[in-house]
């Protein structure tokens, strides 16, 4: 298996659990975990409007130094 195949399988796994990642971001349990989940959602989400809405809703639950382009 080459790197591209592995990356595609990882992306598929993230997409399969995307709502769990949304839950982690919105839980408010940990800004660090929320940030990692946000990065995964941002890379895997097929609807950019959802990512924009997520950031608008959960901005206060993410680290202060997160920039929208992160």
């Amino acid at each position: 298996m080459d790197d591209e195949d592995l990356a595609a399988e990882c992306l598929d796994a993230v997409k399969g659990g995307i709502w769990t990642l949304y839950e982690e971001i919105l839980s408010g349990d940990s800004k660090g975990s929320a940030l990692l989940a946000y990065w995964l959602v941002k890379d895997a989400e097929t609807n950019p409007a959802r990512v924009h809405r997520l950031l608008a809703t959960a901005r206060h639950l993410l680290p202060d130094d997160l920039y929208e382009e992160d």
Side-chain angles (χ1 to χ4, degrees):
M1 177 179 293
D2 64 18
D3 289 346
E4 287 183 27
D5 291 338
L6 182 59
E9 285 190 26
C10 289
L11 185 59
D12 286 343
V14 169
K15 287 179 180 178
I18 202 160
W19 296 113
T20 303
L21 295 170
Y22 274 94
E23 183 179 350
E24 179 60 35
I25 295 164
L26 295 167
S27 73
D29 290 341
S30 165
K31 285 189 176 192
S33 294
L35 178 62
L36 294 174
Y38 174 76
W39 283 336
L40 290 169
V41 166
K42 189 170 181 208
D43 285 344
E45 180 59 72
T46 58
N47 183 341
R50 268 195 209 132
V51 176
H52 180 73
R53 178 77 174 137
L54 174 64
L55 187 57
T57 301
R59 186 65 191 91
H60 67 287
L61 300 170
L62 295 162
D64 294 335
D65 60 351
L66 172 75
Y67 297 100
E68 191 166 344
E69 62 271 0
D70 280 348

